[in-house]
Amino acid sequence: MASAVEQFFTVKAKITAAEREAGRQAGAVTLVAVSKTFDAADISPVIDAGQRIFGENRVQEAQAKWPALKEAFPDIELHLIGPLQSNKAKEAVALFDVIETVDREKIAAELAREIARQGRSPTLYVQVNTGSEPQKAGIEPREAVAFVTRCRDVHGLAIEGLMCIPPADENPGPHFALLEKLSAEAGVEELSMGMSGDYETAIAFGATSVRVGSAIFGSRYP
């Protein structure tokens, strides 16, 4: 079985090929290596191989392993890609450089308070539930543009991108196309879309970052 480092370089090569195929500039797409459920010993070889941008699903799990890694590697950029509970806003603002899952008014208000209190401003994306799945986080597509406007005008948040996770059993292309359309309407430039199974498709639809975990690190721990 290939090591995480070997798989990391394979993913990087596929991203480069997908950029070329889509007629996009080399380096236009950022790889977010999703390290949730993996510990520092698993992550460190990929850091040593040159990766500096990582994604985590849970604030508490990230707090257990990333402060020491970020101290050792100050140029690491950490993304929160899982749902954010309002009572974790303080910790999220302190630890994460990018929070991709702003999806409701209460979270926007809590983040605004913590950003003002801590004087730290992580980059913020709004998560859109493109499949309108009741069990999934994210704002409804029809509400997304207005929500971005409220985040800016009411809460003073600088929203820079949109994020989505298409339904697992559907063709992701239409969902990526919808997110790209919403980003243009909302006036944001960053598009976080595409995971291990569909990141090449996402690149064809304009993704500026892809979130790849299992294709690099392998299957999750139980």
Side-chain angles (χ1 to χ4, degrees):
M1 179 178 153
S3 70
V5 169
E6 290 170 323
Q7 294 182 140
F8 161 65
F9 284 118
T10 297
V11 168
K12 291 279 284 182
K14 288 183 175 180
I15 289 172
T16 299
E19 288 171 336
R20 191 183 308 115
E21 180 72 20
R24 299 182 62 188
Q25 190 172 13
V29 180
T30 297
L31 169 61
V32 179
V34 178
S35 49
K36 64 180 184 181
T37 78
F38 292 94
D39 60 25
D42 299 305
I43 299 164
S44 292
V46 179
I47 296 175
D48 291 337
Q51 178 65 11
R52 288 295 183 272
I53 304 174
F54 291 86
E56 289 283 339
N57 261 41
R58 294 182 177 89
V59 174
Q60 195 165 348
E61 181 190 339
Q63 282 180 304
K65 61 190 176 188
W66 279 105
L69 287 169
K70 289 187 82 174
E71 188 173 344
F73 299 92
D75 56 341
I76 278 176
E77 180 177 292
L78 193 59
H79 290 227
L80 178 63
I81 60 171
L84 176 59
Q85 304 304 318
S86 57
N87 64 353
K88 293 291 183 184
K90 176 182 177 180
E91 291 88 345
V93 169
L95 179 60
F96 289 92
D97 304 291
V98 182
I99 297 173
E100 299 197 10
T101 50
V102 182
D103 66 349
R104 58 197 188 280
E105 208 79 38
K106 186 175 182 181
I107 288 294
E110 289 292 336
L111 287 172
R113 270 194 286 274
E114 284 303 323
I115 287 167
R117 194 180 69 81
Q118 296 184 34
R120 191 171 191 274
S121 300
T123 299
L124 302 176
Y125 298 177
V126 165
Q127 182 174 353
V128 182
N129 186 352
T130 56
S132 297
E133 298 173 275
Q135 80 283 8
K136 194 173 282 182
I139 193 99
E140 284 287 315
R142 65 180 177 275
E143 300 169 10
V145 175
F147 179 64
V148 169
T149 300
R150 285 200 309 280
C151 284
R152 289 170 173 157
D153 296 350
V154 176
H155 302 289
L157 298 175
I159 302 295
E160 297 186 26
L162 301 181
M163 180 266 233
C164 76
I165 305 170
D169 57 350
E170 292 185 20
N171 174 3
H175 295 273
F176 297 152
L178 172 59
L179 200 71
E180 196 280 331
K181 175 176 176 288
L182 291 172
S183 74
E185 293 175 5
V188 301
E189 295 186 356
E190 302 300 322
L191 278 173
S192 173
M193 56 191 196
M195 299 186 292
S196 287
D198 57 19
Y199 65 90
E200 291 160 289
T201 302
I203 290 169
F205 280 93
T208 59
S209 63
V210 294
R211 310 179 305 275
V212 181
S214 58
I216 295 172
F217 293 104
S219 300
R220 303 297 178 208
Y221 292 158

